Amino acid sequence: MDRLSRRNVLMAGGAVGALGALGAAAPAQAHTPWTWSPKGSVAGTGAGEDPRWVWDPEADPLVASLLDRGDVPKVNELLRTWTKNGQPLPAGLPTELRDFMEEARRLPPWADQGKLATAVEFNEKRGLYLGVLYGLASGMMSTVIPKEARAVYYSKGGADMKDRISKTAKLGYDIGSRNAYQPDGEMIVTCVKTRLVHAAVRHLLPQSPHWPDVADEEIPISQRDMMVTWHSLPTTVMQKLTAWKVPVPAAESAAFLHSWQLGAHLLGIKNEYIPASWDEANSQAEQILDPVLAPTPEGIKLADILLNLGSEVDGGIVSKHILGAFTRFLLGDRIAEWLEIPREIIWDSLLKTAWGPFIAVREGLLPLPQAPKAYWTFDEFLRKAALLFLSEARPISIEIPQGNRPS
């Protein structure tokens, strides 16, 4: 797809994805000691260093230099033309950037093309579930991950959340596409560009006059932070599918994990932190994701902004109620109360009573008379609900920021 737009991301049944959210001046949280063993990683070995103190030693100084020299506008202009995985890098890039990107775009030796082909089958069969979960479970969860929320809010992306959402949604779309990691796909490009953006935020955000007053860290987006966000995506998705009793064959489950393992690698996460199995992923998430979830004043505001994104379509008459009910259904009462999401008598009841049978019918477990047609209507309703998040049709371009959120 040459001109990916906000509308196309969702119309294709891809992920609303990693919406990104915001947090704020919250008290510093206690950090649990890092005890997860690198023996459980795709590398199988490692130093075992707490990823809270590891960032991106290859990308960070490089992007800082580009920013300090004033080269970013030219680089962004050139990189707008680089959209496909197998496409040569554009001429004119600074030599050190070109060298870094050529290395960063390579798939690791452990990439398995067979698993990637199986992942395509999984994504095609589970596209609806993935769209709902990426957007309304993973996305809304980001509003209660304080460190992620603060980094997004005070960086440039926090000033235009619709644009921010569209760019993170692109990652969810690209990883679910048929050619995600193939030469004519775009996942590698999206990951490498996102890695450059993260490096820029690490350099810029500490310069924000607001940052020292709200952050409990000097440098944002550590490797631990990235793994927290990673777990809010594939780990959370697979946990929900398991809870819903969606019958996912073992090969497809492993393939889905593999596609996200590669994504983590291409985003610059060290292999010793990337779980090798779902058991290891659940173990790591229990240590670093579950304990950090907490509300913040800004997170509450951000959640409200996200739930109101459909107001351009229907004035918020229906969309906010539907999206709020889905958030409560997917993330539970505690998080819904944190985010001050009101209860919805009609939609809450509908989801509690209809979702299980809806899943069963889609999976062919309940061959009820006339059910396929009835539940196809529910299916179509869910797609339209997801579409409310993004309604514009401008091409999506991931670019290196040159400043923080304007005051």
Side-chain angles (χ1 to χ4, degrees):
M1 184 170 62
D2 294 327
R3 292 176 62 81
L4 183 65
S5 70
R6 293 188 174 109
R7 182 179 295 276
N8 290 340
V9 165
L10 292 180
M11 290 184 71
V16 177
L19 296 182
L22 118 147
Q29 292 183 327
H31 292 273
T32 56
W34 177 254
T35 59
W36 191 78
S37 172
K39 292 180 180 179
S41 70
V42 295
T45 186
E49 184 179 3
D50 189 336
R52 185 185 174 200
W53 306 110
V54 182
W55 291 272
D56 193 333
E58 291 82 24
D60 292 350
L62 168 61
V63 176
S65 175
L66 295 175
L67 285 163
D68 291 344
R69 297 198 315 254
D71 286 345
V72 169
K74 176 185 176 182
V75 168
N76 279 336
E77 181 180 1
L78 291 171
L79 289 182
R80 286 181 200 125
T81 67
W82 186 54
T83 60
K84 301 297 181 183
N85 298 335
Q87 185 181 348
L89 292 175
L93 290 174
T95 302
E96 66 274 24
L97 177 61
R98 173 180 292 276
D99 292 344
F100 165 78
M101 293 180 67
E102 289 291 8
E103 179 64 27
R105 70 192 293 189
R106 294 178 184 171
L107 290 177
W110 45 269
D112 187 322
Q113 293 298 327
K115 286 185 177 179
L116 291 179
T118 302
V120 171
E121 299 176 18
F122 172 81
N123 288 324
E124 289 183 344
K125 288 194 290 187
R126 315 297 179 191
L128 172 67
Y129 307 148
L130 296 178
V132 170
L133 288 169
Y134 284 145
L136 296 171
S138 305
M140 292 301 292
M141 184 182 289
S142 68
T143 65
V144 290
I145 300 176
K147 292 177 73 172
E148 176 182 351
R150 284 192 293 265
V152 171
Y153 182 67
Y154 290 101
S155 62
K156 183 180 179 181
D160 185 349
M161 285 305 297
K162 182 170 285 189
D163 181 69
R164 174 69 167 80
I165 290 167
S166 71
K167 290 174 180 177
T168 52
K170 187 179 187 325
L171 181 74
Y173 173 85
D174 289 343
I175 199 169
S177 64
R178 293 186 61 85
N179 55 356
Y181 294 101
Q182 301 306 313
D184 60 338
E186 300 185 10
M187 183 60 180
I188 295 174
V189 173
T190 294
C191 285
V192 173
K193 287 184 177 181
T194 301
R195 186 175 176 183
L196 295 175
V197 170
H198 286 167
V201 171
R202 293 189 192 101
H203 181 66
L204 293 168
L205 203 48
Q207 302 174 35
S208 167
H210 309 286
W211 180 252
D213 295 332
V214 300
D216 58 353
E217 58 190 348
E218 292 186 9
I219 305 173
I221 317 180
S222 68
Q223 296 261 320
R224 185 164 177 158
D225 295 336
M226 288 195 286
M227 284 310 304
V228 169
T229 299
W230 188 89
H231 285 299
S232 75
L233 289 154
T235 307
T236 297
V237 165
M238 189 52 66
Q239 288 174 348
K240 290 296 182 183
L241 293 179
T242 300
W244 293 343
K245 297 181 170 55
V246 175
V248 180
E252 291 184 11
S253 177
F256 176 64
L257 174 61
H258 187 66
S259 68
W260 276 100
Q261 290 168 333
L262 287 177
H265 173 88
L266 290 165
L267 286 168
I269 296 174
K270 297 179 68 173
N271 289 343
E272 70 171 89
Y273 300 134
I274 304 172
S277 67
W278 285 121
D279 285 343
E280 292 292 349
N282 289 327
S283 172
Q284 190 186 95
E286 185 177 359
Q287 179 181 148
I288 67 172
L289 172 63
D290 300 347
V292 305
L293 299 179
T296 62
E298 288 83 355
I300 294 169
K301 295 176 185 176
L302 224 291
D304 190 61
I305 291 173
L306 298 178
L307 294 176
N308 275 295
L309 285 178
S311 62
E312 295 179 13
V313 178
D314 70 348
I317 297 173
V318 175
S319 59
K320 183 175 182 178
H321 302 286
I322 296 174
L323 299 176
F326 260 114
T327 299
R328 181 178 293 275
F329 177 70
L330 295 172
L331 298 182
D333 289 334
R334 182 181 68 158
I335 291 179
E337 296 304 322
W338 282 351
L339 297 175
E340 298 182 2
I341 296 173
R343 293 183 180 274
E344 302 288 346
I345 297 177
I346 296 175
W347 297 112
D348 288 349
S349 298
L350 174 63
L351 288 169
K352 286 181 180 179
T353 59
W355 189 260
F358 167 66
I359 294 289
V361 168
R362 277 186 58 88
E363 299 302 321
L365 302 180
L366 293 178
L368 303 177
Q370 301 300 315
K373 182 177 180 179
Y375 282 95
W376 178 88
T377 303
F378 195 8
D379 189 333
E380 198 60 20
F381 154 75
L382 292 175
R383 293 183 189 277
K384 290 179 179 179
L387 273 172
L388 293 172
F389 268 107
L390 305 173
S391 61
E392 297 181 13
R394 292 181 298 176
I396 298 171
S397 177
I398 298 174
E399 302 190 356
I400 301 171
Q402 301 175 66
N404 296 309
R405 177 178 182 148
S407 298

